[in-house]
Amino acid sequence: MSKVCEITGKKAMVGNNVSFSINKTKRRFDVNLSKKRFYIPEEDRWVTLKVSTRAVKLINKKGISAVLKDAKANGLVK
């Protein structure tokens, strides 16, 4: 699977490694992802999502139901 957050849509960026002599080589900035299980009380079931740490903070702030509703509206979650 690709390294994309299922809630926010964050994915890897591309940049440069810059050495002391200012030589530049390409590198990837990966997203800080983790698999987490969340309980949805309205549906009375558990859901496993691959989320970034920013998405976990967003879920703690707004609640899983509101975040999933917004993600479905943006087309990130089916």
Side-chain angles (χ1 to χ4, degrees):
M1 283 183 72
S2 60
K3 296 180 181 181
V4 177
C5 177
E6 295 178 351
I7 298 295
T8 59
K10 283 179 162 266
K11 50 187 169 183
M13 294 172 38
V14 178
N16 287 317
N17 272 333
V18 182
S19 68
F20 182 73
S21 58
I22 315 174
N23 294 328
K24 295 175 180 74
T25 56
K26 284 293 185 183
R27 62 160 290 182
R28 282 173 51 117
F29 292 94
D30 286 328
V31 185
N32 189 6
L33 292 179
S34 59
K35 269 189 166 177
K36 298 276 293 178
R37 283 179 70 216
F38 297 101
Y39 180 70
I40 304 173
E42 289 82 15
E43 299 177 12
D44 192 34
R45 68 185 184 110
W46 290 88
V47 182
T48 302
L49 296 173
K50 192 187 289 190
V51 291
S52 62
T53 51
R54 178 179 167 202
V56 172
K57 289 173 74 173
L58 190 66
I59 290 169
N60 286 338
K61 182 177 179 182
K62 289 179 146 184
I64 185 68
S65 302
V67 171
L68 282 176
K69 186 176 160 187
D70 290 342
K72 284 179 186 175
N74 293 335
L76 295 169
V77 176
K78 294 179 183 175

